[in-house]
Amino acid sequence: MSSHTLDVLAIGNAIVDVIARADEAFLADHGMPKGSMSLIDEARAEQLYGAMGPGIEISGGSAANTAAGAASLGARAGFIGKVREDGLGKTFAHDIRAAGVAYGTPAANEGPATARCLILVTPDGERTMNTYLGAAQNLTTADIDAASVESAAVTYLEGYLWDPPAAKEAFLAAAKISHTAGRQVALTLSDAFCVDRYRAEFLDLMRNGTVDLVFCNEGELKSLYETADVDSALVQLRRDVASAVVTRSERGALFVAKDAVVSAPAHAVAQVVDTTGAGDLFAAGFLTGYTRGLDPATSLRIGALAASEIISHMGARPERNLLDYARETGLLP
């Protein structure tokens, strides 16, 4: 990568996660497809919050988790995302800055409350998410700090934030600034249900060069190309975008480009406690290696290591210093 002052600048929903354990009967009683991410309104958020068992509250949001993970790995990370000037908004801002992430998006003084994601974790570690986007969906081009985008080796866009029209404009503006500065733009597809909503638009971003690097799991990949055949979807993916990372849970991950396919195994974990944030932290690890100029196989292994730490406990922010962990395993100097 050419000279830059940020390795990764993530743009996405600024959300506070509320995480609680639940059984599958609870999901069925409340009409939640297991493993899904559903957008809900404030009334539904209040109703579910009242029905949930005891939980923990911690700053989250997919792209924000990636930024925090990258910072824990020693990368220079920044985040752009909107909160309200309220209690949860202050909590979010404090937490992400405490994680070592540069964050300067002005809080809204009026309008919807700070976003929150109600996460139900079943005994198998699978998470089912119900998200009230609140203030997060009011991100606009005015919130895109051009100097930050120009300074970042990779600007990383969160697919979940493709819902609000103003946020789409903000994404496109950031991508243009990034490319004009000779940088790269990455997109995470976020969720198979998200892909179902915006399949044509995501493919257009890839095919017209707005996005250089895509992150997805196999479910999102199959949704993108409307097929149950992963191999055929990979062939199409390599045609449509310069490069991509495809995570495959316990089977590791792939890096694909027009002229290459590289695989790496998953990193062993004693017990899967909560898969919340696994993809976010995988992206953090890969991008940390990628922006350092490391080869794809090593970058994938750093991603797998970061993901393994996250799924070993509740919550989507690291509980140990990931740079120390990567050094212990010889993946980073």
Side-chain angles (χ1 to χ4, degrees), residues 31-301:
M32 303 178 199
K34 183 180 174 182
S36 67
M37 196 293 286
S38 301
L39 297 176
I40 58 175
D41 59 19
E42 192 167 2
R44 171 73 165 165
E46 291 294 333
Q47 183 261 324
L48 286 179
Y49 185 79
M52 290 169 65
I56 60 171
E57 295 186 355
I58 183 171
S59 296
S62 176
N65 292 337
T66 296
S72 182
L73 282 159
R76 297 166 297 179
F79 178 70
I80 294 174
K82 200 74 172 177
V83 297
R84 173 73 189 270
E85 185 64 46
D86 57 18
L88 286 180
K90 292 174 182 175
T91 295
F92 179 90
H94 173 270
D95 285 359
I96 198 163
R97 290 172 183 147
V101 177
Y103 176 62
T105 310
N109 293 316
E110 57 185 12
T114 295
R116 73 287 312 264
C117 182
L118 308 179
I119 303 173
L120 286 307
V121 182
T122 41
D124 59 359
E126 184 65 81
R127 80 281 186 274
T128 301
M129 299 184 289
N130 299 271
T131 305
Y132 167 60
L133 290 173
Q137 65 186 331
N138 289 341
L139 188 80
T140 70
T141 53
D143 297 307
I144 301 301
D145 180 60
S148 295
V149 177
E150 290 169 349
S151 74
V154 176
T155 293
Y156 176 86
L157 308 176
E158 178 185 322
Y160 283 137
L161 194 53
W162 194 249
D163 281 293
K168 292 183 185 184
E169 295 177 10
F171 271 11
L172 295 174
K176 184 175 181 180
I177 293 167
S178 177
H179 283 150
T180 299
R183 312 301 192 186
Q184 293 190 31
V185 176
L187 170 71
T188 171
L189 298 187
S190 293
D191 182 278
F193 296 89
C194 185
V195 176
D196 285 342
R197 293 195 297 277
Y198 299 111
R199 180 177 297 107
E201 292 176 61
F202 286 166
L203 285 170
D204 188 51
L205 292 174
M206 294 158 57
R207 291 167 177 166
N208 68 19
T210 299
V211 170
D212 307 295
L213 171 62
V214 165
F215 288 85
C216 62
N217 61 31
E218 286 186 325
E220 293 151 8
L221 177 64
K222 290 187 288 187
S223 175
L224 184 66
Y225 292 108
E226 298 181 277
T227 178
D229 183 357
V230 173
D231 290 337
S232 67
L234 285 169
V235 170
Q236 294 181 78
L237 181 66
R238 292 172 67 190
R239 291 173 180 162
D240 285 340
V241 71
S243 58
V245 172
V246 182
T247 57
R248 306 187 296 171
S249 298
E250 71 277 1
R251 292 181 294 115
L254 299 173
F255 170 81
V256 299
K258 290 180 169 43
D259 58 352
V261 176
V262 178
S263 65
H267 192 87
V269 59
Q271 180 183 8
V272 176
V273 175
D274 174 17
T275 59
T276 306
D280 305 335
L281 270 291
F282 194 102
F286 181 87
L287 288 170
T288 297
Y290 184 73
T291 56
R292 289 189 180 201
L294 301 182
D295 61 271
T298 302
S299 297
L300 289 173
R301 289 181 63 202

